[in-house]
Amino acid sequence: MKAETYISVDIEADGPIPGPYSMISFGMTVAGRMAGRRFEKTDPEASTFYAELRPISDDFVAESLAVSGLDRDALVEEGRDPAEAMADAADWIRKVCGADLPVLAAFPLAYDWMWLYWYFLRFTGESPFGHSRCIDIKTLYTAKAGVPVAWSTKRQMPREVRSSRRHTHNALDDAVEQAELFQNLMLWQGSAGRLHRVEVPRVEPVLSDLDTARDQ
């Protein structure tokens, strides 16, 4: 089987969903590689991609836009053409992955995957990650720690798995920070096996006379 290269992705947008609203920036970095059962981490600052995009509609949500701190008027004038940026992003992914299968990693996956997948299909016709080659870092922690999803925020994670970098809401900064979290979790032994297990007592069924007769 082919090896996999994990691409940590973070996006910033001016609304909740693509189409009516716009992805205004995204950052990507190589987080590591899996060959068979062996994970190899890489320097998350060594291979990166970043783009700020021209909005695709006039609609935006002020609260969403404020998160990134980007100037939307400036993006309308100076942001990259989405078709050009997505084509360059796909070329970059192919270059850094080589013969490996590209796998998108994000925290949480649902949001970043939704935007990037939509933009790749809309502007290039296909996604370098196919329709499902992705891994949710939040779910990875949930499974290894053996905790509910609601307990899987970054601030609730053990210090040894968290990145030491700040979450700045610059898409590239956050992709790098997220890559370190992913690396730490891939190499972490987890704590699920050490959790207290609650044994559910077995309830013996009450048999009727007819059931007893059938069993005999």
Side-chain angles (χ1 to χ4, degrees):
M1 295 181 65
K2 286 187 176 182
E4 296 177 342
T5 291
Y6 298 97
I7 307 296
S8 173
V9 174
D10 185 80
I11 76 99
E12 298 294 334
D14 64 8
I17 57 173
Y21 304 101
S22 307
M23 181 167 70
I24 53 178
S25 69
F26 67 103
M28 303 189 293
T29 183
V30 177
R33 184 172 185 266
M34 179 74 87
R37 295 178 179 272
R38 181 181 179 185
F39 175 74
E40 302 170 353
K41 66 179 185 179
T42 59
D43 178 358
E45 294 185 316
S47 299
T48 63
F49 183 96
Y50 177 72
E52 296 180 358
L53 308 180
R54 186 171 66 240
I56 60 173
S57 79
D58 294 331
D59 295 330
F60 67 94
V61 177
E63 292 81 3
S64 299
L65 180 63
V67 171
S68 69
L70 294 174
D71 186 325
R72 197 173 191 277
D73 291 335
L75 291 174
V76 170
E77 296 295 328
E78 303 172 4
R80 293 189 63 181
D81 174 72
E84 174 192 341
M86 300 316 294
D88 286 350
D91 288 342
W92 177 85
I93 292 169
R94 283 189 286 267
K95 179 181 177 181
V96 297
C97 291
D100 293 357
L101 290 172
V103 178
L104 187 154
F107 184 104
L109 176 71
Y111 184 76
D112 299 278
W113 172 271
M114 170 179 66
W115 284 94
L116 210 64
Y117 184 74
W118 190 95
Y119 263 71
F120 271 129
L121 262 64
R122 173 66 179 81
F123 293 106
T124 73
E126 61 181 351
S127 167
F129 303 104
H131 69 276
S132 62
R133 281 200 308 274
C134 53
I135 183 168
D136 181 21
I137 300 173
K138 192 181 191 76
T139 302
L140 177 63
Y141 172 75
T142 298
K144 284 201 165 189
V147 298
V149 172
W151 295 5
S152 299
T153 62
K154 291 178 183 177
R155 67 176 177 272
Q156 291 173 298
M157 294 180 182
R159 189 179 301 274
E160 66 264 26
V161 302
R162 285 181 284 175
S163 170
S164 60
R165 299 172 185 267
R166 290 177 54 245
H167 193 80
T168 67
H169 292 293
N170 170 278
L172 183 55
D173 286 350
D174 292 350
V176 172
E177 177 235 354
Q178 183 179 265
E180 286 193 348
L181 172 62
F182 175 73
Q183 292 170 352
N184 292 343
L185 285 173
M186 288 293 284
L187 298 171
W188 187 47
Q189 295 302 306
S191 58
R194 300 192 295 272
L195 295 179
H196 175 64
R197 304 293 184 182
V198 178
E199 295 294 335
V200 179
R202 177 174 175 171
V203 178
E204 295 295 339
V206 177
L207 300 178
S208 66
D209 291 341
L210 179 59
D211 291 327
T212 303
R214 285 174 179 167
D215 289 341
Q216 293 174 347

